[in-house]
Amino acid sequence: MIASRNMNVHSILAGLNDRKIKSRTANNYIGHVRSMQNVVLANSNQFDTNMFHYEEDGNPMVHPNSRGLFRWVQPPTLTNVRQLFAFLTVDAGIARTCPTVEEAIDEVVDEAVNEAVNENIDPENPMSDKATMSSGTFGNYTSAFKWWMKLKSEKMDKEATFLDGEIIQGMKEIFTAYKHDIGDKKSRGVMKAQEGKDPFSKEGIIRLYLHLCKLRPDGNKLKWSQIIFANLYVRLQVATIGRTDNIGNALRNCLGWAEDALTMSFITTKSDRDGVKTNELKHIFASIESYMDVILSFAVYMFCMHIDGGDEDENDIKLFMGSSQTSRFYKTFNTVLDEMDAMGIDMGAPRFNLSTHSLRKFADTYACNQPAGPSTESVKNRAGHSNGKVQDCYHKADEYADC
């Protein structure tokens, strides 16, 4: 039996709770919570009661070890929650397209309401003729708010509060009304009909592969190691229909061979955080086109990075050495896309609507639209999709697929 002389069960429980905050989803939620904090501060005089606890000097109290997260009044009142999400419905780009949330509020809410007096804009819906956040993003804010309320963390000295049914119902009603507003804006051409990033086209992927093959170092902007790294990373993400972080966290002991196929499995995924269902092998075959060949990219990477397959060092277990390979890929990939866009290379969608996620969307779309290709169920399993609406974000009709 393990000696428990130096173990403290309260510390262990605190650690388990605090580690939940380090997940990628939780980090995104924390960003949303910060944005909501700024919305409240910018409009504090319009809330019925305080949303935060305040110091004597008038500043909001901050949780320790939280990097600036305020002490919200828990539980919040139904009226305050409805008012908070009402402000979010008239936001034109919170935390994304505006430099600061304060600027967003000033430009969107105050000016829109003031203009309503002079230009007959509906004061009840001042953003009816302007694009606001997508319904998916709005839904993420509601999830982030509920997550923050029920989060318990000893390190941050934060207690959990579970929202009652009345508050949950109030949030649902605002969300439903907002989705109707978004539908109306889409029907009038105010907002794009499609939400999220676009997939690459087949021709766009081929051009991307060829461009990656032709890349040469450019001072500190782009080095040989980044070029070789990006070539493998892109091809792996397309071949496995994997998420960017799945590729960045790939382990070498999860690679193998099955007859003439390279096999690969992921440890965890977004839909399987504990890794129970994720260990299914993904088979990757060689391509007759060298610029598309994942296995050739593997060989080049292993040779140039001086990886010999040994296990003397703990770092050898990782396919891509280092702790921030996902961020490294984001930076390199965006540099490549910007360069291709500047050269006028057609990638199948506007540059601003392409990202690393477009690789995954292309792979999913392309696989599902092959006349003699894999079944939708097989593609879903390889991509790690859940059933229902999540699949619809990825399964797009290929060109002339409806003919």
Side-chain angles (χ1 to χ4, degrees), residues 48 86 216 224 289 291 304 358 367 374:
D48 282 10
R216 295 296 181 268
W224 272 122
E289 300 289 352
Y291 66 87
C304 294
S358 300

Side-chain angles (χ1 to χ4, degrees), residues 114-266:
N114 291 336
E115 288 172 1
V117 177
N118 300 320
E119 300 184 18
N120 296 320
I121 296 176
D122 184 1
E124 294 185 357
N125 189 8
M127 296 300 293
S128 61
D129 292 322
K130 294 184 180 180
T132 50
M133 73 175 75
S134 69
S135 58
T137 300
F138 190 86
N140 289 337
Y141 274 93
T142 63
S143 297
F145 184 78
K146 289 185 285 188
W147 172 85
W148 176 246
M149 287 293 130
K150 68 180 182 180
L151 178 69
K152 177 179 175 62
S153 172
E154 291 188 18
K155 185 177 292 185
M156 292 196 300
D157 188 26
K158 184 184 181 304
E159 295 296 325
T161 294
F162 290 89
L163 302 176
D164 62 34
E166 190 177 12
I167 291 179
I168 297 296
Q169 182 60 32
M171 294 169 66
K172 287 182 178 178
E173 290 172 357
I174 292 179
F175 193 10
T176 299
Y178 185 65
K179 286 191 286 188
H180 291 163
D181 285 346
I182 295 300
D184 177 63
K185 290 181 183 182
K186 289 180 178 179
S187 68
R188 293 185 288 113
V190 176
M191 293 180 65
K192 287 174 47 180
Q194 176 184 323
E195 296 182 2
K197 297 298 183 181
D198 290 326
F200 283 92
S201 64
K202 176 184 175 182
E203 294 75 16
I205 280 289
I206 292 174
R207 293 177 185 127
L208 173 62
Y209 283 171
L210 291 172
H211 188 77
L212 286 169
C213 291
K214 297 174 182 177
L215 282 178
R216 295 296 181 268
D218 182 13
N220 292 326
K221 183 179 179 182
L222 201 61
K223 299 181 179 180
W224 272 122
S225 59
Q226 290 173 277
I227 295 171
I228 297 168
F229 160 78
N231 267 277
L232 176 56
Y233 209 114
V234 165
R235 288 164 177 78
L236 271 180
Q237 187 166 353
V238 172
T240 61
I241 323 182
R243 296 178 178 87
T244 307
D245 56 343
N246 294 146
I247 307 302
N249 296 328
L251 302 180
R252 286 168 54 197
N253 60 9
C254 292
L255 301 171
W257 290 95
E259 298 182 356
D260 59 345
L262 174 70
T263 61
M264 184 175 187
S265 61
F266 299 143

Side-chain angles (χ1 to χ4, degrees), residues 60-81:
M61 292 183 177
V62 177
H63 286 285
N65 306 307
S66 67
R67 293 178 296 173
L69 294 174
F70 298 159
R71 289 187 180 274
W72 292 64
V73 173
Q74 295 183 223
T77 66
L78 172 61
T79 301
N80 278 356
V81 172

Side-chain angles (χ1 to χ4, degrees), residues 304-315:
C304 294
M305 297 295 106
H306 305 290
I307 299 174
D308 59 8
D311 56 359
E312 296 84 1
D313 193 306
E314 288 184 1
N315 286 329

